[in-house]
Amino acid sequence: MENPAVSLLVAVYNTEAFLPNCLQSLISQTLKNIEIIIVNDGSTDGSQKIIDHYARKDGRIKTIRQENQGLGAVRNKGIEAASGEFLAFIDSDDWIEPDYCQSMYEKAKDEDADLVICDYAVEIQDTGKTVCPDIGKNYVGKPKEAFIKALLKGQVSGFSWNKLYRRSLIEQHKLVFPLRDELENIEDQYFSFRCLLYANTAAFVTKPLYHYRVHLSSIVQKYQAGLFEDGLALYE
């Protein structure tokens, strides 16, 4: 059986209010040769019922349940389970455009890129406002070092969810996310820096394919003890 072109790795923790919207966007992708790996990190709400419902609807969905271990452990578990040529990380309170996989995968193949970065839309739940940062147009055609410098200077964010990664790149260099008590406040930046360093090429899709939802219950909107110290340790 042919391996999937893309593995979508979904981290779930108590997001029952947003999960149907997220999963519906995944099963509606125009690129059909995908797998969807959902890791439920010990949710205590109705998230698992929603996951089971969608798993019955679509045979491309694989589900993993574990005790709560944190986002880094969840993403590492997804990487271990993935069989796609490329993989992408999806947060379960976000959603993606129908052509997210198709556009990202075609860009990776066209430019023989280990890493593809797309623009995204910030959806501010409490105001209904949408903000679309222009990222790609500033770095298209430039060497990846330009993006790395911008990341170091804080001019762009090191999110892991607006990127498509070649799975062999991650396996070859044993790239993993930090676990709890290991820079967990900035696990995305930690991972992104390393992927950019080892990638042969970083390509860009100048279209907001990923919708990043900002809401009051989001973990990144809460006080994160140790965030400053983790940041210093990362840059060191």
Side-chain angles (χ1 to χ4, degrees), residues 184-205:
E184 68 172 327
N185 291 299
I186 48 173
E187 63 269 302
D188 276 14
Q189 293 94 321
Y190 177 97
F191 191 79
S192 294
F193 274 129
R194 283 155 178 75
C195 288
L196 279 160
L197 174 67
Y198 291 118
N200 63 349
T201 302
F204 294 87
V205 176

Side-chain angles (χ1 to χ4, degrees), residues 120-125 129-133 159 161 210-214:
Y120 57 90
V122 180
E123 309 287 352
I124 304 172
Q125 178 86 6
K129 187 177 180 181
T130 299
V131 180
C132 296
F159 300 123
W161 40 250
Y210 191 101
H211 295 265
Y212 171 53
R213 191 194 305 267
V214 175

